[in-house]
Amino acid sequence: MTAPRPAPLWVTLEGANGVGKTRLAALLRGQVEGAVVLDELPDAAPERLPGKVIAALAEGGDPFLRTGHPLTETLALLGLAVRRREEAPAAAVVIEDRGCDSVAVYQALTLAERDGSDPYPIALRLLAMADRWRPRSDLTVLVTNDETTRRAQWAARLGRPLTGDEHHRAVAVAQLHARIADEEPDRYLVLDLAELTTAQALSVLTSAVAALTSPAGASS
């Protein structure tokens, strides 16, 4: 009987659009032997199920995947996040570009739009729901940056200036991520790229991964 392969160390990078997490994920892959990067869900291959779901949600052209059916959107995105973990690739370390935290934050803001309620408790409920179906990451990294840099880097990626709605939503996302991380400091490694160079942030992140993959720090 073939023994089951060990679960990979799971590292998730979270943060608002334009903070620089995708570049940091790619750099980390180059530093960690046996690591693979899972692109964020909106970049999923269009021929596979996740890509097809994302394409359906994005059909109206909204960058935040708002179709007017927020509960359906939320369940679909959480389902994709759970499926991603169930289909973990054969790798020593999986570096996930956005996971359940991002789904919870973005969808909490969308759900709160209906009646102007506080998105924070909604985000916590969504995270608790995700915890029932998917193990938490071994390391969750919140990447932050100053607003001017976030805005410029996201606009460069889009190839156009941000709309007012996109800018306000990005600010709200950054604030909600920070609020959750402040309340659970033991769960997050926060890397502020407004205070750290990319090289410094990469060094901190590589050291954190090394500590978890060492025999003393490896997760059971």
Side-chain angles (χ1 to χ4, degrees), residues 93-175:
V93 178
V94 171
I95 304 165
E96 180 182 38
D97 190 346
R98 286 203 172 135
C100 288
D101 279 77
S102 283
V103 174
V105 165
Y106 279 86
Q107 292 308 116
L109 288 166
T110 297
L111 290 162
E113 286 175 339
R114 296 179 300 175
D115 56 9
S117 56
D118 182 359
Y120 177 70
I122 300 174
L124 295 187
R125 288 197 294 272
L126 293 177
L127 284 170
M129 184 187 300
D131 285 344
R132 296 180 61 185
W133 300 102
R134 174 182 144 147
R136 287 202 171 181
S137 301
D138 298 291
L139 177 62
T140 302
V141 183
L142 177 60
V143 184
T144 65
N145 214 322
D146 65 88
E147 183 180 334
T148 300
T149 301
R150 290 198 318 263
R151 185 168 186 167
Q153 291 185 161
W154 190 22
R157 180 173 180 178
L158 293 174
R160 59 168 174 78
L162 303 186
T163 66
D165 176 60
E166 289 167 346
H167 170 63
H168 292 307
R169 176 56 64 99
V171 170
V173 165
Q175 291 173 342

